[in-house]
Amino acid sequence: MSAALLVAGGICKRYGAIQACRDISFEIEEGEALAIVGESGSGKTTLLNLIAGLTAPDAGEVRYRLRDGAVRDLSSLSEAERRALMRTDWGFVHQDAARGLRMNVSAGGNIGERLMALGDRHYGRIRAAAARWLERVEIPADRLDDAPWTYSGGMRQRLQIARNLVTSPRLVFMDEPTGGLDVSVQARLLDLIRGLIAEMGLAVVLVTHDLAVARLLSNRILVMKGGEVIESGLTDRVLDDPQTPYAQLLVSSVLAV
Amino acid sequence: MMKPWSNDLLVVEDLDKTFTLHLHGGLRLPVVHGVGFAVRRGECVVLGGPSGVGKSSILKIVFGAYRPDAGRILLADGDGFLDIAAASPREVIRARRHIMGYVSQFLRVIPRVAALDIVAAAAREAGLEAEAARGRAVSLLTRLNLPERLWPLPPATFSGGEQQRVNLARGFAGDHALLILDEPTASLDAENRNAVVELIAERRAGGAGFLAIFHDEDVRARLADRLIDVTAFSAHEAA
Amino acid sequence: MTTRAYNFAYLDEQTKRMIRRAILKAIAIPGYQVPFASREMPMPYGWGTGGVQVTASILGPDDVLKVIDQGADDTTNAVSIRAFFVRTAGVRTTTDTSEATIIQTRHRVPETPLSEGQILVYQVPIPEPLRYLEPRETETRTMHALGEYGVMHVKLYEDISRHGHIATTYAYPARVAGRYIMDPSPIPKFDNPKLDDCPALQLFGAGREKRIYAIPPHTRVVPLDFEDHPFERTKFDSACALCGATDSYLDEVVTDDAGGRLFVCSDTDYCEKRQAAKRKDAAE
């Protein structure tokens, strides 16, 4: 498996008559950002859920290299191990921040939860760590004790990111992280994400339908349609010089401002 | 087939490129054929020829933004050479981070990010620490005469010339051995053109190699060590 | 006198066995919430049906039953439940903590230390300590199964961030036998230390939520806290106005409309015994 962090091999998933993913294989190394793009029904979200261990594939395997160097097939992980991984070495940023946050718990509590789950029992230290992260995601410090239901959409998303990154995960899954946000808010958030990816050397798997977001955040891209990978490669190469008919269609359909 | 010399930064061999427009019934647009040249350390190679002949396309192919149909693009990498045409995306990313840089004709901006931050981010990407990156961004923008009051502003509202200077600063923020420049001075006035020329000359003197397209005759005269007429490689078929 | 229309202690024998099985399971896994088939009782949910079902299942004709509500033997809830068991089981009842073999309680632990052989039955409204933060039953069950209790400390964190200290003053969560985290029912946190290493068997019944849990005798029960905000026992500024006790949980009684207040022991039996002892001393 060499330097790869996560290897997906021949993944298949069907829902009844629909083949949501057909024989998909790829690798991610530490510090790489991979975008999975496609239109509705392409299977990109299913693929994300499969590699994040949220559903099991019908065929194929997903293998992950843990921090201690051991390589594990995700399907062989126990529920406890998988959940522990989700809380430490992985992050998952949902399109809807409310799914990835405790809306009634203060920002500090939200960010500190992973630390408390790992056994941190010092209120002062947990609070200080949460405050540092709030600053890092550019949320005003005086909002530390506010619950996210009082936050704007962009701030909620930042909080969700902080909550995920507090344990310095090596791999972060993102599902349309800026989807549904106002355009003006998206730009700053994308820059924040880009900066954090670079600073923390995160590996990222990003699902998006927005090619501009893919270009901005990723260096490699998979174009999906009908459960298959139509084209893949360097992000700017695929977007500047698409080789396949579908990729050309996708790129040419994007409106420029 | 040319054998790369140890002084070569880049050796391009037998490059072919044809665009196939699947959305237009598979219409084929040949661009270039059999492209071959080399760029050595401390050398500025300029691509010349009429508009549309394929100069920009060659630059993009070398950078890995376009996929060639045939040929090799050998980039000096440590003791050996990396063929960009056959390299994995990962290898190309690494090459772009450490070996070759690219300044496009137009700045593609991320909205709402300050000019200084754009340049500093490029420096950090190339391996500098935050403080040093910022320092380099400041010095580059100063050299390129971008007024300081513009530094904290996002370039979206800048003039073409101002945007291009940010673009250039970003391109020069790293320590790349090879820099690919696509019409870097096209939207600049004489004074700023001069600043750019001096910057390039300085880097060249330090051993960096350049593969560039210069529209301006004067700039070409001052910088070009060799001029390659791309017309020789043009694959445009007669109608 | 028992009314012949009812089985002993109201519940049929098969139901009692079902509940006893649940109780045995609960004792075998301290702090773990065992689901049970809670029956229709002749009192509404929220009035102690869980505690009543537990008591009914373990009660025998030779048992001596004490029932308290907020520490008092003479409040409505205690009176009704005691009368219920007199009617359906004919057992002897008492207000004396040390005399009772089974004590059913709502929201307090008696001040008088319990002894081996006694059983304390708690009435529990919401057995799930994680419910406040996690509304999904499927999720809380998984969290208990995997020992994922980070969210419990989130609740305490919230308290401190809002009030400057852990403001939870009742139903204070505790870890049982180093494994499960439980809600000890809405007893004041003052009572939490009494659960630890108690010689008596402690049973918890939640009728509406259909759960039974238990703390076997001499089990470690440790309240949750933070290193820099450790669990502190509540202290009162005054002593009981009636018996002078400084070590019991005090109720505040408003005596007039001019702001007059009295603090008296919540545990009526404890207070009366102390008063009787004082009178005896005074007489001698």
Side-chain angles (χ1 to χ4, degrees), chain A:
Chain A
M1 205 156 126
S2 68
L5 191 58
L6 184 134
V7 177
I11 309 185
C12 300
K13 181 75 178 175
R14 72 177 327 127
Y15 292 109
I18 300 170
Q19 188 85 26
C21 287
R22 281 170 221 268
D23 197 28
I24 298 185
S25 303
F26 61 89
E27 280 185 23
I28 302 167
E29 280 191 11
E30 283 192 49
E32 282 195 325
L34 174 74
I36 303 174
V37 303
E39 300 177 292
S40 303
S42 58
K44 59 189 194 295
T45 304
T46 303
L47 181 58
L48 190 72
N49 290 336
L50 285 166
I51 60 179
L54 297 174
T55 58
D58 297 322
E61 54 180 20
V62 182
R63 283 178 298 142
Y64 180 75
R65 178 165 52 84
L66 301 169
R67 273 194 214 258
D68 63 9
V71 175
R72 296 287 302 275
D73 185 336
L74 289 193
S75 60
S76 77
L77 291 175
S78 68
E79 184 65 8
E81 286 173 310
R82 199 189 60 78
R83 287 167 70 112
L85 200 57
M86 258 303 182
R87 273 197 310 268
T88 55
D89 213 26
W90 282 3
F92 200 114
V93 178
H94 297 266
Q95 179 175 359
D96 176 13
R99 273 186 67 191
L101 289 171
R102 295 198 187 274
M103 295 304 280
N104 288 317
V105 170
S106 71
N110 263 292
I111 298 174
E113 183 174 342
R114 279 198 183 193
L115 300 175
M116 291 184 252
L118 289 173
D120 209 326
R121 290 286 175 267
H122 194 282
Y123 173 81
R125 274 201 309 262
I126 295 166
R127 190 182 171 80
R132 278 197 304 274
W133 267 100
L134 218 61
E135 199 189 324
R136 214 152 164 202
V137 297
E138 296 169 29
I139 296 178
D142 60 359
R143 303 302 302 268
L144 184 66
D145 295 321
D146 293 341
W149 65 264
T150 65
Y151 282 14
S152 66
M155 275 172 77
R156 288 180 190 184
Q157 203 54 306
R158 288 161 190 280
L159 182 61
Q160 198 196 169
I161 289 166
R163 181 177 153 92
N164 273 281
L165 298 187
V166 70
T167 48
S168 299
R170 291 185 303 156
L171 177 60
V172 181
F173 302 98
M174 299 193 190
D175 186 6
E176 309 269 12
T178 56
L181 294 176
D182 288 336
V183 171
S184 60
V185 170
Q186 275 190 37
R188 288 296 303 171
L189 186 58
L190 285 172
D191 189 59
L192 175 74
I193 294 173
R194 218 164 69 102
L196 288 169
I197 291 173
E199 256 175 69
M200 296 180 70
L202 302 173
V204 173
V205 180
L206 162 76
V207 159
T208 182
H209 67 277
D210 188 333
L211 298 183
V213 169
R215 189 190 278 276
L216 194 63
L217 295 183
S218 71
N219 25 49
R220 288 169 54 217
I221 192 169
L222 299 181
V223 177
M224 284 189 72
K225 179 178 195 290
E228 289 178 314
V229 174
I230 302 294
E231 195 169 332
S232 66
L234 219 47
T235 300
D236 67 325
R237 204 281 300 152
V238 171
L239 295 180
D240 285 346
D241 186 19
Q243 301 291 299
T244 56
Y246 179 68
Q248 287 187 2
L249 173 65
L250 208 57
V251 170
S252 65
S253 308
V254 174
L255 296 171
V257 165

Side-chain angles (χ1 to χ4, degrees), chain C residues 161-184:
Chain C
S161 75
R162 258 183 235 134
H163 308 284
H165 55 275
I166 297 179
T168 307
T169 49
Y170 61 93
Y172 196 100
R175 194 184 274 271
V176 181
R179 178 55 180 91
Y180 286 94
I181 289 186
M182 69 151 204
D183 179 330

Side-chain angles (χ1 to χ4, degrees), chain C:
Chain C
M1 288 298 303
T2 22
T3 307
R4 276 289 149 214
Y6 298 110
N7 193 38
F8 180 85
Y10 185 78
L11 294 176
D12 60 276
E13 291 306 309
Q14 290 306 321
T15 297
K16 288 186 200 170
R17 287 170 85 169
M18 176 273 293
I19 293 175
R20 286 183 207 138
R21 279 193 209 104
I23 292 172
L24 284 174
K25 205 180 267 182
I27 293 169
I29 315 172
Y32 169 72
Q33 300 165 50
V34 181
F36 79 105
S38 182
R39 294 290 189 246
E40 287 267 349
M41 299 299 286
M43 61 209 55
Y45 287 137
W47 287 79
T49 58
V52 168
Q53 287 179 81
V54 168
T55 300
S57 305
I58 60 175
L59 201 62
D62 299 329
D63 272 305
V64 180
L65 178 68
K66 172 179 162 83
V67 185
I68 48 173
D69 174 8
Q70 300 279 25
D73 300 86
D74 55 359
T75 52
T76 316
N77 199 257
V79 168
S80 305
I81 292 176
R82 195 166 51 237
F84 170 81
F85 280 114
V86 165
R87 186 139 173 233
T88 59
V91 289
R92 191 154 78 79
T93 63
T94 180
T95 58
D96 186 341
T97 305
S98 44
E99 227 199 338
T101 57
I102 297 176
I103 302 164
Q104 178 165 330
T105 176
R106 175 177 172 272
H107 304 352
R108 280 263 18 241
V109 178
E111 304 295 350
T112 311
L114 301 175
S115 54
E116 237 172 73
Q118 286 185 302
I119 300 178
L120 185 58
V121 178
Y122 295 76
Q123 294 172 206
V124 180
I126 305 285
E128 179 52 71
L130 305 169
R131 184 63 65 226
Y132 170 75
L133 279 168
E134 180 49 71
R136 295 169 292 178
E137 173 70 13
T138 48
E139 187 60 20
T140 52
R141 283 204 204 188
T142 307
M143 288 159 106
H144 280 295
L146 300 178
E148 284 180 15
Y149 289 126
V151 77
M152 209 55 244
H153 274 90
V154 171
K155 173 155 195 312
L156 299 180
Y157 173 101
E158 291 297 281
D159 272 358
I160 300 173
S161 75
R162 258 183 235 134
H163 308 284
H165 55 275
I166 297 179
T168 307
T169 49
Y170 61 93
Y172 196 100
R175 194 184 274 271
V176 181
R179 178 55 180 91
Y180 286 94
I181 289 186
M182 69 151 204
D183 179 330
S185 84
I187 55 175
K189 81 177 199 185
F190 180 89
D191 284 340
N192 268 54
K194 297 186 184 124
L195 273 60
D196 184 35
D197 198 25
C198 177
L201 169 65
Q202 299 173 80
L203 300 178
F204 297 78
R208 173 180 46 206
E209 295 296 314
K210 307 174 182 20
R211 297 283 186 277
I212 285 172
Y213 45 108
I215 302 174
H218 300 294
T219 301
R220 288 248 52 206
V221 180
V222 180
L224 302 186
D225 59 11
F226 283 98
E227 284 165 24
D228 51 339
H229 287 264
F231 175 83
E232 263 168 25
R233 200 132 183 262
T234 323
K235 287 187 193 39
F236 291 94
D237 291 334
S238 34
C240 171
L242 300 179
C243 75
T246 52
D247 60 351
S248 81
Y249 189 80
L250 303 180
D251 283 336
E252 187 177 343
V253 180
V254 174
T255 50
D256 55 42
D257 59 2
R261 309 172 303 167
L262 263 187
F263 286 89
V264 297
C265 288
S266 132
D267 187 332
T268 50
D269 174 54
Y270 185 75
C271 196
E272 265 153 37
K273 286 219 187 83
R274 280 183 56 93
Q275 288 175 57
K278 266 170 69 175
R279 282 193 295 271
K280 196 155 156 266
D281 284 347
E284 281 157 8

